[in-house]
Amino acid sequence: MSKDKAMLNAFDPAAAGSLPAAERALIERRQRVLGTAYRLFYDNPLHIVRGEGVWLYDAGGERYLDAYNNVASVGHSHPRVVAAIAEQAAMLNTHTRYLHDGVVEYAERLVATFPSALSQAMFTCTGSEANDLALRIARSHTGASGVIVTELAYHGVTAAVAAVSPSLGKTVPLGVDVRAVSAPDTYRHDPATIGVWFAARVQEAIDDMLRHGIRPAALLVDTVFSSDGVYTDPAPFLAPAVEAIRAAGGLFIADEVQAGFARTGSCMWGFQRHGLVPDIVTMGKPMGNGHPIAGVVARPEIFERFGRDARYFNTFGGNPVSCAAALATLDVIQDEGLQANAARTGAYLRDKFREMARKHSWIGDVRGDGLFMGIELVKDQAAKTPATEETHRFVNLMREHRVLLSATGLRGNVIKLRPQLPFSLENADQLMQAADEVFAKL
Ligand code: PMP
């Protein structure tokens, strides 16, 4: 297993010796020019050159079933999105200081997918920037600074969001006004009381902040807790924690970078599963199906103070080409019925994994909604002993069986599955066939 504790399924460059000469050479060039901060996936890194729908193709022409891609979410190189980008790029690309229909039309279409109170949008290029902006807005609205996140949360790369991203590891410090609370682990705590349990953790963090003279500005959570290990049910378990932060004068920021855009099948947005209306929502990744566009949606009164005090201009955020990509992506989600497909294929996959748990006792828990899933692997189903090393092997063996997925969670023993939204029942069967063979090898 990689020595890199801060990222699961990371390639260990010290093991490059066993790779073919061409890959070794590219890895060496990469390290020479990109430095030490980048990580590759897999013990045997993949060299991908083409994507189409749910498939990726490597440099040798081998085909891989992509069950991990939450960026090209409506399918790799989707023709409608590609055409929209090409047409707009051939016509004009500027920024939001000129009048243009694109950003307005997209914003109107986007906010129409939210509860009516969340009626305004601001655009960025990455999820990190969206969370960075959301923190500035929350702090300006509340006049407070404290932020509560979960124990293994990831919210992005800027200085401000790295300071609220404990999953970056102990060598990346959290802010002095940041508190990390345990995730709502429904496998190890009673699901029936998990909402109250999680709210109690949030309340402890609020009390601790106040004791240190810090007023809470926000509770910021990924609504499917993806880096914490994928915790989706029983909804609405998130509601009591949101009540606690609001009672303390803070806002609820829903990070929908992972959960958003129909991925959870039952809803367009992850927070909707919990019957909540957040104060601020951030989004990114699948928004432009691979084209960099991200954003923040909120109630007008939340944006109001920030807009008065600080002008906002993001050179690339909301440019016409990005908005065309995002509009086409939204059209594809709606026209191809991808939310319903995510619900159907996701439920099918979870049923199949639950069935498989009777045959392969490595499977301890199967959770998720739509096409966002966590399969927790254990050495002993009764004792729930984490099978961390085996999870790493499972991920790498699946890659050798031409199926791409990864691992997540505090103990690195949760298989993280995020197939593309058009994943079919046939694709699900292909995945299960590979999983059956790989479990038998563990
Ligand atoms: N929030 C969450 C929940 C994420 O998973 C990510 C990216 N993995 C981000 C924010 C940051 O997005 P980006 O990489 O586009 O900056």
Side-chain angles (χ1 to χ4, degrees):
M1 186 187 299
S2 163
K3 292 185 193 66
D4 187 348
K5 297 282 183 253
M7 187 183 121
L8 297 169
N9 192 26
F11 169 69
D12 179 2
S18 58
L19 298 177
E23 264 130 57
R24 233 169 37 227
L26 188 55
I27 289 169
E28 275 163 25
R29 270 174 64 205
R30 210 180 116 102
Q31 282 185 322
R32 201 175 310 129
V33 73
L34 300 183
T36 54
Y38 286 85
R39 301 289 183 275
L40 287 162
F41 276 154
Y42 298 113
D43 293 345
N44 179 8
L46 262 177
H47 183 178
I48 299 291
V49 294
R50 189 167 74 82
E52 189 183 342
V54 299
W55 300 99
L56 287 170
Y57 296 82
D58 74 8
E62 283 288 350
R63 188 171 87 150
Y64 296 79
L65 184 60
D66 187 356
Y68 193 61
N69 211 298
N70 194 13
V71 179
S73 191
V74 302
H76 289 284
S77 306
H78 193 290
R80 273 181 81 179
V81 182
V82 172
I85 292 170
E87 277 162 29
Q88 186 57 50
M91 176 70 78
L92 172 76
N93 202 18
T94 54
H95 53 67
T96 50
R97 280 185 168 159
Y98 297 107
L99 272 174
H100 194 272
D101 288 338
V103 67
V104 178
E105 187 188 351
Y106 180 62
E108 286 170 350
R109 285 282 305 280
L110 179 67
V111 299
T113 69
F114 282 87
S116 58
L118 300 170
S119 61
Q120 289 188 345
M122 291 173 74
F123 296 107
T124 63
C125 307
T126 67
S128 301
E129 275 185 281
N131 281 325
D132 191 293
L133 181 60
L135 289 180
R136 288 179 66 197
I137 291 167
R139 284 168 171 155
S140 124
H141 180 81
T142 59
S145 70
V147 179
I148 300 166
V149 294
T150 48
E151 194 173 4
L152 213 62
Y154 179 72
H155 296 291
V157 295
T158 73
V161 292
V164 297
S165 295
S167 78
L168 288 172
K170 289 199 164 49
T171 49
V172 179
L174 293 183
V176 288
D177 45 11
V178 175
R179 297 293 181 275
V181 299
S182 296
D185 180 343
T186 45
Y187 185 46
R188 289 183 168 75
H189 297 284
D190 180 4
T193 55
I194 198 72
V196 175
W197 182 90
F198 185 60
R201 304 290 80 73
V202 169
Q203 189 60 51
E204 280 165 11
I206 292 168
D207 294 344
D208 185 58
M209 277 182 183
L210 293 173
R211 207 156 43 236
H212 289 85
I214 299 162
R215 285 193 301 118
L219 168 68
L220 167 62
V221 297
D222 165 352
T223 56
V224 291
F225 299 91
S226 57
S227 52
D228 281 293
V230 188
Y231 300 110
T232 50
D233 289 286
F237 73 74
L238 204 42
V242 171
E243 263 173 49
I245 191 69
R246 285 180 171 152
L251 303 182
F252 168 45
I253 306 175
D255 181 335
E256 293 282 338
V257 169
Q258 293 282 351
F261 291 102
R263 175 146 293 273
T264 61
S266 59
C267 293
M268 179 72 170
W269 303 101
F271 65 79
Q272 290 174 310
R273 307 181 63 257
H274 292 274
L276 295 165
V277 179
D279 300 294
I280 303 179
V281 182
T282 61
M283 66 208 74
K285 276 193 194 293
M287 192 168 179
N289 205 47
H291 189 89
I293 175 163
V296 180
V297 165
R299 298 198 310 271
E301 63 271 26
I302 301 281
F303 280 153
E304 205 274 329
R305 168 102 197 232
F306 180 80
R308 226 181 332 125
D309 293 348
R311 70 193 154 73
Y312 180 71
F313 175 59
N314 183 323
T315 304
F316 299 119
N319 74 69
V321 173
S322 300
C323 288
L327 190 61
T329 304
L330 201 52
D331 283 340
V332 171
I333 291 172
Q334 291 171 349
D335 295 351
E336 295 186 10
L338 294 184
Q339 186 179 321
N341 190 67
R344 183 176 56 236
T345 309
Y348 180 79
L349 272 168
R350 279 185 295 283
D351 282 350
K352 292 283 168 190
F353 270 108
R354 287 185 185 122
E355 253 171 56
M356 194 174 270
R358 291 199 283 272
K359 177 175 175 193
H360 297 297
S361 59
W362 295 110
I363 301 173
D365 194 31
V366 178
R367 39 187 195 258
D369 191 21
L371 285 172
F372 209 118
M373 266 167 279
I375 317 290
E376 182 147 356
L377 301 194
V378 291
K379 293 183 191 195
D380 177 330
Q381 284 176 334
K384 305 184 179 179
T385 324
T388 305
E389 183 64 34
E390 291 78 7
T391 304
H392 177 84
R393 278 177 51 218
F394 181 88
V395 169
N396 280 278
L397 282 167
M398 286 295 276
R399 176 243 181 273
E400 299 308 326
H401 280 65
R402 312 269 182 271
V403 178
L404 307 182
L405 37 76
S406 195
T408 186
L410 198 55
R411 303 162 191 88
N413 68 322
V414 181
I415 298 164
K416 181 158 68 164
L417 266 180
R418 294 175 308 198
Q420 277 131 323
L421 303 185
F423 216 67
S424 65
L425 298 184
E426 190 194 347
N427 297 145
D429 286 335
Q430 290 160 337
L431 185 153
M432 293 313 300
Q433 167 81 31
D436 188 34
E437 289 166 25
V438 167
F439 275 126
K441 288 182 185 172
L442 278 190

